[in-house]
Amino acid sequence: MQNEPNILDPLAVAETWHEQGRAVALATVIETWGSAPRPVGSHLVIDGEGNFQGSVSGGCVEGAVIAEAADVITSGTPRLLEFGVADETAWRVGLSCGGRIRVYVERIDG
Amino acid sequence: MELSTLQALNVARASRRAAVVVTDLSEGTSQAFIEGDRIRAEWAAPVSEVLHSGRPRLLTIEERALFFNVHLPPPRIVAIGAVHISQALSRLAPVAGFDMAVIDPRTAFATAERFHGVELLADWPEDVLPDRPLDRYTALAALTHDPKIDDYPLRAALEAGCFYVGALGSRKTHAARSERLQTQGVATEAVARIKAPIGLDIGAASPAEIAVAVLAEIIGALRRRDVDLPAEGGK
C-alpha cells in the first residue's frame, strides 16, 4: 500500500501521479478576500486527463481551475487566476459565498 | 514547480520538518526551504514569520511578487503519565488542534477506559520513544512525579529540541530533578529549558485547571518558539 498516496494530501498525490508518468499541474490559493472557503496555501492537484484531488474553494471554482490547468499542462507557463463576485464569469462558476480568491496554477516539471 | 522541489517538500513533511516554499509569481520559479536550511538574507524575515504564524504570505520584495507558503508538521503533545491531569489534557488538546499521546508503563493507570479515544502506550518511555521519536513540533509534559518514569523522556525531549518541555512537581522537587539530570550529563542550559512548576501561573488547583494551564503554556511556547534558520552569508 506504500504506493497509494493519501488522497487527502494533494502534494503527495502530485508526486505519485508524476511518478506514474501523468502530466501534473498544481493550483495554490495565494490570496483571499472576504469569506473565502479555503485558506491561503490550499492546493488542488490536476492531471492531464482532468482528474483532481484537493480543493481551492468549496467546490465552486474547481471546474474553471481544472480547465485552465489543461492549458498550463500543455504550455508549461504558469497562470494567475482570479475568481470573485466582481467577475461575471466567476459568478457564473459560482463563488457564491461572496469571497474573492486568487489561484496560481503551475506545472510540475522534472 | 520542479519535481525535485516537490520531492524535497514531501520528504520534509513526511519526516515532520517545517518547510517554506517561495514562489516567484512573475518568473514562475519555486524554491523549498526546509527548517535548518540556509536562506537568502532578504527572505529570512518573511520565512521566519510564516514559520511562526503557520500562515502563508504574499509579499512584494524588490518589485517581485513572492508567495511564501508554509507547511508545518501538526503539533502534538506527549504526556508522560496516565494520570488525572493527562485525562483532562487529552480532552482539551484536540480542541486546540493538537495530536495527543499518553505514555505510562503502569498498566493500572494506562487503561483504555480512562483514556478513551486517545493514543495510549502502556509501556516504558525507553521502549516507546525509539520507535516514535520526539521532535521540534512535539511538546513533552512529564506528569508522573516519578523520576524512574519521567527522567528519561525529559532528557530525550531536550535532546530532540521539543518546542516545549514541562515537568510536574514543586520547586523543591524540580531542584532535585535538575541536579539529577545534570549528574546524568544534561547541560545546565538544557535543564533550564524545562518549565517547572508546570503550567502558566493562573492559580490552577484541580487536575482540569492544571491541564488548562499546561495547554496554555504549550500554546505560548509553540507561537514563540525559536525557528532554526541560519542566515546565508554569500549568494
Side-chain angles (χ1 to χ4, degrees):
Chain A
M1 286 284 115
Q2 286 295 327
N3 297 329
E4 287 297 315
N6 176 356
I7 56 163
L8 297 179
D9 182 345
L11 294 175
V13 169
E15 191 178 335
T16 305
W17 282 1
H18 193 281
E19 280 167 12
Q20 293 169 348
R22 293 153 83 168
V24 181
L26 182 68
T28 309
V29 178
I30 60 158
E31 209 170 11
T32 67
W33 299 264
S35 63
R38 294 283 288 129
V40 172
S42 302
H43 291 298
L44 172 70
V45 56
I46 309 105
D47 76 0
E49 309 293 315
N51 297 301
F52 68 95
Q53 293 290 355
S55 63
V56 290
S57 73
C60 317
V61 303
E62 272 75 5
V65 175
I66 290 160
E68 296 280 347
D71 293 344
V72 170
I73 284 174
T74 308
S75 69
T77 311
R79 280 194 190 170
L80 204 48
L81 313 174
E82 187 169 332
F83 300 97
V85 288
D87 178 305
E88 202 173 318
T89 312
W91 178 242
R92 216 166 46 233
V93 299
L95 200 64
S96 51
C97 43
R100 274 202 297 155
I101 59 172
R102 280 214 292 165
V103 177
Y104 180 75
V105 187
E106 62 190 314
R107 188 171 74 183
I108 302 297
D109 290 316
Chain B
M1 186 188 291
E2 293 293 322
L3 178 65
S4 56
T5 306
L6 177 65
Q7 286 167 333
L9 176 60
N10 281 341
V11 166
R13 292 166 63 238
S15 58
R16 288 182 57 84
R17 293 176 71 197
V20 177
V21 176
V22 185
T23 304
D24 185 323
L25 297 178
S26 42
E27 292 203 346
T29 52
S30 299
Q31 267 180 280
F33 293 98
I34 315 305
E35 194 169 354
D37 280 356
R38 289 180 169 278
I39 184 157
R40 288 162 62 163
E42 65 268 33
W43 292 358
V47 166
S48 165
E49 189 208 309
V50 297
L51 282 172
H52 274 111
S53 69
R55 283 192 288 274
R57 290 285 309 268
L58 181 63
L59 293 169
T60 304
I61 297 174
E62 292 171 353
E63 298 179 10
R64 287 166 179 276
L66 299 172
F67 181 61
F68 293 80
N69 205 359
V70 59
H71 303 266
L72 297 186
R76 64 178 174 187
I77 299 172
V78 173
I80 305 301
V83 296
H84 202 164
I85 296 170
S86 312
Q87 287 180 285
L89 190 57
S90 296
R91 302 181 75 166
L92 295 168
V95 175
F98 291 88
D99 291 341
M100 177 91 197
V102 178
I103 303 174
D104 196 324
R106 300 168 300 179
T107 47
F109 285 79
T111 67
E113 189 182 37
R114 287 161 50 81
F115 289 89
H116 183 68
V118 175
E119 187 179 15
L120 183 64
L121 301 148
D123 225 328
W124 286 90
E126 286 87 330
D127 296 326
V128 172
L129 294 179
D131 290 334
R132 321 167 64 81
L134 302 169
D135 61 39
R136 300 172 59 84
Y137 290 86
T138 301
L140 183 114
L143 303 172
T144 72
H145 276 124
D146 184 342
K148 287 199 303 299
I149 305 174
D150 280 351
D151 280 7
Y152 173 85
L154 283 170
R155 288 201 311 269
L158 293 170
E159 255 171 53
C162 286
F163 73 87
Y164 174 88
V165 185
L168 191 70
S170 67
R171 283 173 211 288
K172 197 174 152 201
T173 303
H174 186 60
R177 176 191 293 129
S178 299
E179 204 179 309
R180 223 170 37 242
L181 290 173
Q182 286 178 51
T183 314
Q184 293 165 9
V186 183
T188 313
E189 314 84 72
V191 172
R193 284 196 55 221
I194 300 173
K195 302 283 187 190
I198 200 166
L200 289 190
D201 185 4
I202 54 171
S206 70
E209 289 172 5
I210 295 168
V212 169
V214 171
L215 185 58
E217 194 169 54
I218 288 173
I219 291 168
L222 177 68
R223 293 304 170 199
R224 297 190 182 130
R225 72 192 190 282
D226 289 332
V227 175
D228 180 16
L229 274 180
E232 188 172 85
K235 188 181 159 192

